[in-house]
Amino acid sequence: MNSPSSFESGGEEKPVDTHRKSVQFQHQDSPYLDDAKSTKSTKSSSSQASGRAGVKSRGMGMSHALSVKHQKLKENDEMPKFLFFPYSNGYKCWFGWTVIWAVLTIYFETYSIAFLPGGIGPRNSPANIVEYCFLTVFAMDILVSFNLAYEDESEDLVTDRKKIAWNYLRMWFWLDLIGVFPFYSVILEAKGLEDVDSRETRYLALVGLTRLVRLHRVVKCFEWMQYSDKISLMWYTMIRNFGGALVWTHLAACTMFYIARQQDFQDTWLEPGTETNFELYLTSLYWSIVTFTTVGYGDFSPVNSAEQVFGMIYM
């Protein structure tokens, strides 16, 4: 006999799915479902946290490893006297100081070649005094590098002086030696042209571009900035691009003036009068910037073949 609840208004019998209701009832009260939900949410939250940590950990692993090594070194007290630790604050300051002088090398050497007279000149001239300062800084850096601990292939800190000297002599010493050796002065003294300002001595001055090997310190600095957690990627990109634009426009200004100067300013883009070297540099930099930005006002334009070729390369 059917119960009254199993009939509809039309008198037809509608079967009751008791199995579905029982399953739903069991699922609602089952503790295993709660455990599964909590496990799933835990995994989801942990994966999201690891993802956020992966985004924020740019360079943090390197910084943590260096701090751990520094701490172990302090605990063990293994550093010999007069030996520099590569991750200490003192050496970081010194390395930053050499990076500044390396950047100044780009401007000073190229400006000297393009705008200053040929020859060595008086020993107490401002240009020579500045040159002595450069030589002093990078000669001291060579001494520091001979006493700088390093990490071997197994990431162990090497403090043996013989190994440190051999590691430095394998490559970086020769670049640093080229950066301080006075090639220009030696060549002029060998040819007897120390005090001569001529087209030949200005061509020989191009040997001073070997000093640009000092820029390997700038490359190392940018590598550190790229993986450092203390500098955002936006600031790193802005510094890199803005610095590159400044250097490129400066080099173009010096090159364009040097081409005109080597032709004694006859049939060239520039005809100087009584302007100072700094005023001539500003004029050359003006041409470089308006050409670099593709504005090209037309008030200064290449005239001879050498200037036209360089203008095409620069564009």
Side-chain angles (χ1 to χ4, degrees):
M1 183 175 180
N2 297 325
S3 61
S5 62
S6 63
F7 290 91
E8 299 292 337
S9 60
E12 297 181 356
E13 182 179 357
K14 183 177 181 180
V16 179
D17 194 350
T18 57
H19 175 70
R20 180 181 298 175
K21 290 184 176 181
S22 63
V23 171
Q24 292 176 353
F25 179 78
Q26 293 175 1
H27 283 187
Q28 291 174 358
D29 297 337
S30 174
Y32 300 100
L33 183 61
D34 296 336
D35 294 342
K37 289 181 179 179
S38 62
T39 303
K40 183 177 181 181
S41 62
T42 303
K43 290 182 178 180
S44 176
S45 61
S46 62
S47 62
Q48 292 176 358
S50 62
R52 290 192 298 267
V55 174
K56 295 181 179 180
S57 63
R58 173 177 161 265
M60 293 182 64
M62 182 183 296
S63 300
H64 177 70
L66 298 184
S67 61
V68 170
K69 291 178 181 178
H70 197 179
Q71 184 64 28
K72 288 182 178 179
L73 188 63
K74 286 183 177 180
E75 294 174 356
N76 298 332
D77 196 20
E78 298 176 353
M79 183 64 71
K81 292 183 179 180
F82 307 109
L83 202 65
F84 300 98
F85 182 60
Y87 310 118
S88 63
N89 293 330
Y91 178 73
K92 287 180 180 179
C93 293
W94 172 255
F95 179 75
W97 180 245
T98 60
V99 168
I100 294 175
W101 282 88
V103 173
L104 293 177
T105 300
I106 308 176
Y107 291 90
F108 178 75
E109 291 296 332
T110 52
Y111 178 87
S112 299
I113 294 172
F115 291 90
L116 297 184
I120 298 176
R123 302 294 180 180
N124 59 350
S125 64
N128 284 330
I129 293 175
V130 173
E131 182 66 25
Y132 298 151
C133 293
F134 276 100
L135 294 178
T136 302
V137 170
F138 291 106
M140 291 179 61
D141 188 61
I142 292 177
L143 297 178
V144 171
S145 298
F146 270 114
N147 296 275
L148 179 65
Y150 72 97
E151 290 182 353
D152 57 12
E153 296 179 355
S154 59
E155 297 185 354
D156 293 329
L157 193 67
V158 178
T159 58
D160 184 79
R161 292 187 180 275
K162 292 183 179 180
K163 294 182 179 180
I164 292 173
W166 173 248
N167 181 71
Y168 182 51
L169 286 170
R170 285 190 303 176
M171 179 179 177
W172 296 113
F173 168 75
W174 305 107
L175 289 179
D176 293 339
L177 181 62
I178 292 174
V180 298
F181 191 82
F183 291 102
Y184 186 49
S185 300
V186 171
I187 294 174
L188 291 181
E189 291 180 0
K191 297 177 70 68
L193 301 174
E194 299 94 329
D195 300 323
V196 178
D197 180 19
S198 64
R199 183 177 299 180
E200 180 182 2
T201 57
R202 291 195 295 267
Y203 275 126
L204 291 174
L206 293 174
V207 75
L209 295 176
T210 56
R211 303 285 175 85
L212 299 184
V213 298
R214 301 168 181 171
L215 296 179
H216 70 82
R217 298 170 177 82
V218 182
V219 176
K220 292 180 182 179
C221 181
F222 274 104
E223 289 178 354
W224 174 82
M225 292 173 60
Q226 183 178 3
Y227 297 105
S228 174
D229 59 332
K230 299 180 181 179
I231 300 177
S232 65
L233 186 61
M234 181 191 70
W235 280 107
Y236 163 78
T237 305
M238 291 179 61
I239 294 173
R240 181 194 61 187
N241 294 347
F242 184 70
L246 288 179
V247 171
W248 185 237
T249 52
H250 167 79
L251 293 177
C254 293
T255 303
M256 199 64 174
F257 185 84
Y258 180 82
I259 294 173
R261 186 186 183 190
Q262 288 301 91
Q263 302 193 21
D264 298 326
F265 301 104
Q266 296 180 1
D267 296 328
T268 60
W269 71 279
L270 184 64
E271 295 180 0
T274 59
E275 299 89 349
T276 62
N277 284 339
F278 183 71
E279 292 173 343
L280 293 174
Y281 172 74
L282 289 181
T283 303
S284 302
L285 187 62
Y286 163 78
W287 173 89
S288 178
I289 292 176
V290 298
T291 304
F292 181 75
T293 56
T294 66
V295 175
Y297 293 114
D299 46 356
F300 295 103
S301 56
V303 175
N304 56 61
S305 299
E307 295 173 350
Q308 292 169 354
V309 169
F310 176 73
M312 289 186 292
I313 296 174
Y314 181 56
M315 288 291 290

